[in-house]
């Protein structure tokens, strides 16, 4: 009999398949897809966490996704101060690799270095998200140990950054820039509702924001409800936090 020479599926191929499947699914929220990209980024690069920042059409930078609350804090610091590896990657359109935050130029991003290391991060790989030769955001991948980045990690991070751009646009030709601006503003508006819903769930159920956000995401996925519709129902009072799946037994120890 002929030998079975089928290769073991590549984790990168599996990730691309999952994300592209979400891209063509008109019922999947953009915020949910970007959040999943941060989770996959951390897994594929053996990192602790990841986050995505985008250029706000109204000015400045905005955080649109983070794999956990620690990563969100780091991203918020960069977006508010416009200083840090990911902010630099967006500004210069170049990959910024920091193998060890505890060494190197201490005068570069001093506040960011202090906060990031206190939280527990030691290395960062920041990749620009580019559309039509313009940088529209950045994928920030965070490690808790000093890390020497190899070409394969750069390649994987680049692929994931490109997928994030595709999710933000989903348009071809001359209308892509306008579509990006439109979807970016809609996404930022959705983030406000997600934050409000997370606060309501956390306060009502006496759990952490990280646990609350995970519960909201899980409910949307398991119930087949768009995240945008779910969080608006929570903030409007149409759905009570105790009605969410898993509300009786929230995950313990979540970030």
């Amino acid at each position: 009999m002929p030998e079975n020479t089928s290769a073991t599926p590549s984790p990168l191929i599996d990730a691309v398949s999952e994300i592209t499947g979400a891209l063509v699914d008109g019922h999947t929220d953009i915020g949910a897809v970007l959040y999943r990209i941060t989770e996959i980024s951390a897994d594929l690069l053996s990192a602790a966490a990841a986050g995505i920042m985008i250029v706000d059409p109204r000015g400045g930078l905005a955080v649109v996704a983070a794999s956990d609350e620690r990563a969100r804090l780091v991203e918020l610091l960069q977006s508010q101060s416009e200083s840090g590896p990911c902010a630099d990657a967006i500004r210069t359109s170049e990959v910024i690799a920091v193998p060890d935050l505890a060494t190197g130029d201490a005068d570069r991003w001093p506040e960011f270095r202090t906060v990031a290391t206190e939280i527990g991060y030691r290395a960062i790989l920041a990749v620009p998200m580019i559309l039509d030769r313009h940088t529209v955001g950045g994928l920030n991948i965070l490690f808790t140990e000093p890390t020497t980045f190899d070409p394969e990690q750069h390649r994987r991070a680049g692929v994931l950054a490109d997928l994030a751009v595709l999710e933000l646009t989903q348009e071809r030709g001359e209308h892509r820039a306008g579509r990006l601006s439109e979807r970016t503003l809609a996404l930022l508006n959705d983030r406000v509702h997600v934050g409000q819903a997370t606060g309501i769930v956390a306060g009502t159920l006496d759990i952490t924001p990280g646990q609350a956000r995970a519960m909201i995401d899980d409910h949307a996925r398991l119930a087949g409800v768009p995240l945008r519709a779910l969080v608006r129902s929570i903030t409007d009072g149409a759905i009570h936090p105790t009605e969410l799946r898993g509300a009786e037994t929230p995950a313990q120890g979540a970030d």
Side-chain angles (χ1 to χ4, degrees):
M1 295 179 62
E3 182 180 356
N4 184 355
T5 58
S6 59
T8 301
S10 162
L12 180 58
I13 292 176
D14 289 344
V16 170
S17 177
E18 177 182 344
I19 296 170
T20 53
L23 289 175
V24 299
D25 179 1
H27 300 290
T28 305
D29 289 282
I30 179 175
V33 175
L34 294 178
Y35 171 69
R36 183 61 183 138
I37 288 175
T38 63
E39 290 188 314
I40 291 173
S41 297
D43 289 342
L44 273 182
L45 277 82
S46 300
I52 295 174
M53 292 197 302
I54 59 175
V55 177
D56 189 332
R58 299 163 297 188
L61 303 174
V63 180
V64 293
S67 57
D68 62 31
E69 289 304 311
R70 288 196 309 166
R72 187 178 305 281
L73 176 60
V74 169
E75 298 298 272
L76 285 172
L77 174 61
Q78 292 192 86
S79 67
Q80 292 170 0
S81 66
E82 296 191 14
S83 174
C86 197
D88 276 10
I90 294 172
R91 183 171 56 255
T92 65
S93 301
E94 296 180 354
V95 174
I96 304 295
V98 186
D100 191 348
L101 283 168
T103 63
D105 186 359
D107 293 329
R108 191 179 189 186
W109 327 303
E111 181 181 9
F112 173 83
R113 283 178 183 269
T114 299
V115 174
T117 53
E118 286 179 351
I119 290 175
Y121 296 124
R122 288 292 301 274
I124 291 178
L125 183 63
V127 182
M129 294 161 42
I130 299 175
L131 174 68
D132 295 335
R133 301 180 183 178
H134 296 285
T135 302
V136 299
L139 172 64
N140 204 34
I141 304 169
L142 307 157
F143 301 77
T144 54
E145 298 290 338
T147 303
T148 300
F149 301 107
D150 58 39
E152 179 61 18
Q153 287 174 304
H154 280 261
R155 185 178 74 90
R156 292 186 177 195
V159 169
L160 292 162
D162 289 343
L163 288 172
V165 174
L166 289 176
E167 172 59 23
L168 283 167
T169 56
Q170 294 195 26
E171 187 72 62
R172 293 180 180 273
E174 61 183 11
H175 300 296
R176 292 210 300 180
R179 180 61 171 161
L180 172 64
S181 179
E182 174 187 321
R183 287 174 67 84
T184 297
L185 290 173
L187 175 61
L188 295 176
N189 183 56
D190 288 345
R191 295 294 301 169
V192 173
H193 287 279
V194 170
Q196 292 173 343
T198 299
I200 291 171
V201 173
T204 303
L205 301 181
D206 192 25
I207 58 179
T208 69
Q211 290 174 317
R213 176 57 196 271
M215 186 177 294
I216 291 171
D217 289 333
D218 287 346
H219 184 94
R221 176 173 51 82
L222 295 172
V225 179
L227 181 63
R228 174 183 297 178
L230 176 60
V231 297
R232 288 181 183 271
S233 294
I234 294 172
T235 57
D236 291 345
I239 292 180
H240 193 271
T242 55
E243 298 178 63
L244 296 176
R245 297 192 180 193
E248 302 84 0
T249 56
Q252 299 298 314
D255 290 326

